[in-house]
Amino acid sequence: MVRDVARGCGATPAQVSLAWLLHRGDDIVPIPGTKRRPTLEENLAAAELTFGPDELRRLDTALPPSVVAGSRYPESVMHMNGRCGLSGQKPPRRAVRRTRYGRMGR
């Protein structure tokens, strides 16, 4: 559905997602992950995107807050950002072996 709206607006699905969040209110601030300049430019262009009432209704109906929930990352990569599972607990520290030249991980 987001792709359909994007095609109708001449935008990308990412731009539609960001623009929809921006239309949700001044208390919502999307923070997109941006590594490259073309992606930054694409994200900035989302601020210029406007929706008609029908498009906003379609997006609001398809993406109600009660359905959008869960972790930001899949369970398999949670350890990469310093978290273990959905509980948010830090992973256990690795054992460190000391050598006469300093510390060395296992």
Side-chain angles (χ1 to χ4, degrees):
M1 192 278 313
V2 173
R3 286 187 189 104
D4 291 339
V5 171
R7 264 183 250 130
C9 295
T12 67
Q15 287 173 322
V16 167
S17 300
L18 289 171
W20 176 70
L21 287 171
L22 290 169
H23 280 85
R24 305 270 310 154
D26 292 338
D27 60 334
I28 303 218
V29 181
I31 305 173
T34 304
K35 293 182 181 179
R36 293 174 182 82
R37 185 180 181 105
T39 308
L40 173 64
E41 292 168 353
E42 178 183 327
N43 291 343
L44 289 173
E48 304 300 320
L49 192 60
T50 57
F51 298 116
D54 189 44
E55 294 162 325
L56 279 175
R57 187 173 28 261
R58 285 179 65 198
L59 291 166
D60 289 342
T61 302
L63 304 166
S66 60
V67 206
V68 182
S71 296
R72 177 176 177 181
Y73 301 105
E75 191 74 28
S76 60
V77 294
M78 290 296 282
H79 70 282
M80 297 168 100
N81 67 2
R83 303 281 179 225
C84 280
L86 300 175
S87 67
Q89 296 174 337
K90 294 256 183 203
R93 290 183 57 104
R94 289 186 340 163
V96 175
R97 188 177 61 176
R98 294 196 182 275
T99 66
R100 70 185 238 186
Y101 301 107
R103 301 171 78 180
M104 187 169 96
R106 262 200 260 181

